[in-house]
């Protein structure tokens, strides 16, 4: 067996959680990530027949049966993943129609997956239907996006248009825009189902007064997606209280669509 601490998926997860912590997006135990893996990715690093513990999930997701996920742990700090990856991360295989997560590596202190596991797994199901290459679901608490949900309307079209107007490349990076959930109790199957529903039409879902979810094909790309939206929210929070003299017009957005071969969300541009 090869050393799992040198597996590309563990190395990349450590780099990403560290980077997110350094961006200030994951205070204390804030934030969580799940990365979908294939048996072929993991089999050189662990014995897939050696289940350490079977952990009940509290929901069903038959679409994910047999799939492997590297996931951050509940109550664990992103800050610490780099120092003790085997305590703060776990590798699980979904079994029993989604109702069980079989632990194959990690959570060595007896811990388990993030409290937001329902939102993660249900979002994977939703995104895989739209894009079979989707492998990552990422949640964090970036300050400017969070701040924006206190002062901006939560109307999805308006919220998206404001973000698109804040940096020229936003519409290119997230042409589907940003979906928005009202405040809901986190950690529940209900917010998981609501998030997954929103994930069927966009890769970014804002949890008002809490944070954001992003989905994508790899950790780097999903990080970059949230980074771009957060940058736009930062500009908004710098200018929202000042008179707006200039803006990116819808006509200019259409030029960006043509230049970069993307199509903004239906009905969002004039
Ligand atoms: O505790 O961010 O939403 C981790 C979270 C819950
Ligand atoms: Zn959170």
């Amino acid at each position: 067996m090869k050393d799992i601490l040198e597996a590309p998926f563990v190395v990349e997860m450590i780099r990403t959680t560290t980077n997110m912590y350094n961006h200030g997006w994951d205070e204390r135990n804030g934030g969580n990530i799940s990365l979908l893996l294939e048996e072929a990715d993991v089999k050189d690093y662990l014995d897939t027949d050696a289940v350490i513990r079977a952990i009940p999930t509290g929901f069903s997701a038959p679409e994910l049966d047999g799939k492997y996920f590297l996931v951050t742990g509940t109550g664990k700090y992103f800050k610490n993943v780099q120092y003790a990856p085997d305590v703060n991360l776990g590798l699980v295989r979904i079994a029993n129609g989604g109702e069980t997560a079989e632990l194959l590596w990690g959570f060595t202190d007896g811990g388990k997956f993030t409290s937001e596991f329902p939102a993660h797994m249900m979002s994977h199901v939703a995104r895989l239907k739209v894009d079979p290459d989707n492998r990552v679901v990422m949640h964090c608490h970036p300050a400017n996006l969070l701040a924006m949900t206190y002062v901006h309307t939560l109307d999805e079209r308006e919220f998206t248009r404001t973000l698109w107007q804040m940096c020229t490349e936003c519409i290119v990076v997230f042409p589907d825009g940003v979906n928005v959930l009202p405040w809901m109790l986190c950690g529940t199957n209900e917010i998981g189902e609501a998030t997954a529903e929103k994930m069927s039409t966009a890769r970014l879902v804002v949890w008002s007064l809490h944070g954001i979810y992003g989905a994508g094909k790899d950790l780097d790309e999903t990080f970059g997606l949230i980074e771009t939206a957060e940058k736009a929210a930062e500009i908004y929070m710098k200018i929202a209280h000042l008179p707006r003299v200039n803006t990116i017009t819808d006509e200019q957005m259409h030029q960006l669509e043509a230049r970069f071969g993307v199509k903004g969300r239906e009905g969002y541009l004039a």
Side-chain angles (χ1 to χ4, degrees):
M1 285 289 161
K2 295 195 207 165
D3 181 0
I4 194 165
L5 295 177
E6 287 171 18
F9 50 87
V10 172
V11 170
E12 196 57 29
M13 184 65 100
I14 292 170
R15 287 183 183 155
T16 302
T17 48
T18 303
N19 193 17
M20 290 172 76
Y21 174 71
N22 289 338
H23 273 65
W25 298 352
D26 298 278
E27 74 291 343
R28 200 174 182 275
N29 63 320
N32 25 75
I33 304 178
S34 57
L35 169 64
L36 172 61
L37 298 166
E38 299 298 321
E39 183 158 309
D41 299 326
V42 305
K43 68 172 179 13
D44 292 344
Y45 300 97
L46 47 81
D47 176 359
T48 54
D49 293 327
V51 175
I52 300 165
R53 278 184 277 144
I55 311 173
T57 65
F59 58 84
S60 79
E63 300 91 333
L64 299 180
D65 244 349
K67 295 204 185 301
Y68 294 77
F69 290 93
L70 182 64
V71 60
T72 53
T74 182
K76 299 295 192 271
Y77 295 17
F78 274 25
K79 176 172 73 71
N80 296 335
V81 174
Q82 60 183 317
Y83 306 114
D86 61 333
V87 176
N88 295 291
L89 303 175
L91 202 157
V92 298
R93 178 176 53 216
I94 303 300
N96 193 22
E99 288 178 25
T100 306
E102 298 173 327
L103 181 65
L104 298 169
W105 174 80
F107 300 148
T108 54
D109 64 348
K112 66 172 192 169
F113 42 74
T114 167
S115 60
E116 304 296 358
F117 206 54
H120 279 254
M121 294 301 111
M122 293 174 195
S123 292
H124 277 286
V125 172
R127 285 312 304 172
L128 285 169
K129 284 183 190 150
V130 182
D131 175 7
D133 290 332
N134 194 94
R135 314 202 77 77
V136 175
V137 172
M138 183 180 282
H139 167 64
C140 56
H141 305 159
N144 294 288
L145 279 163
L146 197 34
M148 198 171 150
T149 65
Y150 286 84
V151 298
H152 193 282
T153 169
L154 301 179
D155 177 83
E156 290 171 341
R157 181 175 180 276
E158 289 307 314
F159 204 94
T160 296
R161 285 178 53 82
T162 295
L163 290 177
W164 282 352
Q165 288 166 359
M166 293 302 111
C167 309
T168 291
E169 295 193 355
C170 278
I171 191 172
V172 180
V173 177
F174 49 96
D176 294 337
V178 173
N179 285 339
V180 183
L181 283 179
W183 186 92
M184 291 179 73
L185 187 61
C186 52
T188 61
N189 288 354
E190 288 69 29
I191 200 169
E193 284 158 13
T195 305
E197 217 261 312
K198 294 288 186 194
M199 278 284 179
S200 64
T201 50
R203 295 200 292 144
L204 287 167
V205 179
V206 169
W207 281 10
S208 296
L209 323 179
H210 181 139
I212 191 161
Y213 268 75
K217 66 180 168 55
D218 59 38
L219 289 165
D220 222 23
E221 197 253 343
T222 312
F223 177 91
L225 176 68
I226 293 177
E227 185 181 30
T228 306
E230 169 61 2
K231 178 69 165 283
E234 182 179 357
I235 311 291
Y236 177 75
M237 294 308 297
K238 283 186 198 292
I239 66 159
H241 58 295
L242 300 170
R244 180 103 61 105
V245 178
N246 302 303
T247 196
I248 305 170
T249 65
D250 283 23
E251 152 55 22
Q252 289 164 336
M253 298 278 183
H254 287 305
Q255 288 182 39
L256 287 161
E257 290 181 314
R259 173 73 181 80
F260 291 95
V262 298
K263 187 83 191 74
R265 178 93 159 250
E266 188 68 40
Y268 276 28
L269 292 175

